[in-house]
Amino acid sequence: MLQLAKLKVPVISIVIGEGSSGGALALGLGNRVLMLENAIYSILSPEGYASILWKDSSRTKEAAQKMKLTAKDLYDLKVIDKVIKEPKGDEQESFLKVAKALKKEIQSIVAVNMTEEELVEERYQKFRNMGEYKVL
C-alpha cells in the first residue's frame, strides 16, 4: 500500500462486486474510487464482523447495516467518489451501459492535468479526510 500511495500516476479504483479484506484497504488509496451501486466494499465480511463483535454470526444482517458497506453509505462517508448506476433490464444491455459510464468516468479522470507531486498529495489528502469519527 505504501508503494501504491507513492505512485506518480492517477490511481483509479473500481468496485464492481464485493471489495473486501486487505484488498479493500488498497482500493481506498485511489485518487478516485468508483463503485457500482449494487456492489459492497468493506475490509471485513458482515459474518466476520458479527462473529468478532457479538460472537454470533447469525447477526449478519445487523452487522451489514452497522458496517455502512453500500455504495450510498460509502459515498456519504467520502470513502468513494462516485456511484455508478446499474440499469435494470436486459443483462447484456445493462452491461454495455455500465461499461460506457465507466469509460466516461475514467476518461474524465485521466484528462485532468496534474503534476506528479499534486497526484500524490491529492491521494494523501483524500485518504486523510475520508470517513467520520467522534472524539469521546
Side-chain angles (χ1 to χ4, degrees):
M1 287 182 17
L2 182 59
Q3 294 304 315
L4 180 64
K6 293 179 182 180
L7 289 177
K8 297 183 188 294
V9 297
V11 175
I12 304 168
S13 298
I14 305 171
V15 181
I16 62 170
E18 182 178 340
S20 63
S21 194
L25 290 173
L27 289 174
L29 290 172
N31 290 83
R32 296 290 179 276
V33 180
L34 313 176
M35 186 171 169
L36 299 187
E37 71 177 324
N38 295 311
I40 61 170
Y41 175 41
S42 172
I43 60 162
L44 183 63
S45 71
E47 295 84 3
Y49 181 97
S51 292
I52 292 168
L53 191 63
W54 301 304
K55 309 281 189 256
D56 183 358
S57 63
S58 70
R59 295 175 70 179
T60 300
K61 187 173 182 177
E62 181 183 359
Q65 292 171 339
K66 289 189 175 294
M67 292 173 72
K68 307 283 187 203
L69 43 70
T70 68
K72 182 191 178 321
D73 289 333
L74 295 168
Y75 179 80
D76 291 344
L77 290 168
K78 299 179 184 161
V79 173
I80 65 167
D81 300 296
K82 180 120 187 181
V83 176
I84 306 297
K85 296 285 183 197
E86 293 183 77
K88 302 206 184 320
D90 177 74
E91 201 172 296
Q92 180 68 19
E93 185 179 322
S94 295
F95 172 80
L96 294 173
K97 286 180 180 178
V98 169
K100 187 176 181 179
L102 285 171
K103 179 180 179 180
K104 181 181 174 187
E105 288 299 323
I106 292 167
Q107 287 174 329
S108 70
I109 293 166
V110 297
V112 174
N113 191 13
M114 296 176 79
T115 67
E116 293 175 349
E117 291 76 21
E118 288 171 331
L119 284 167
V120 173
E121 181 63 20
E122 177 190 57
R123 225 174 2 257
Y124 174 76
Q125 291 302 325
K126 180 178 177 290
F127 196 75
R128 296 271 302 155
N129 292 313
M130 68 174 56
E132 63 181 38
Y133 64 92
K134 295 178 185 175
V135 177
L136 300 176

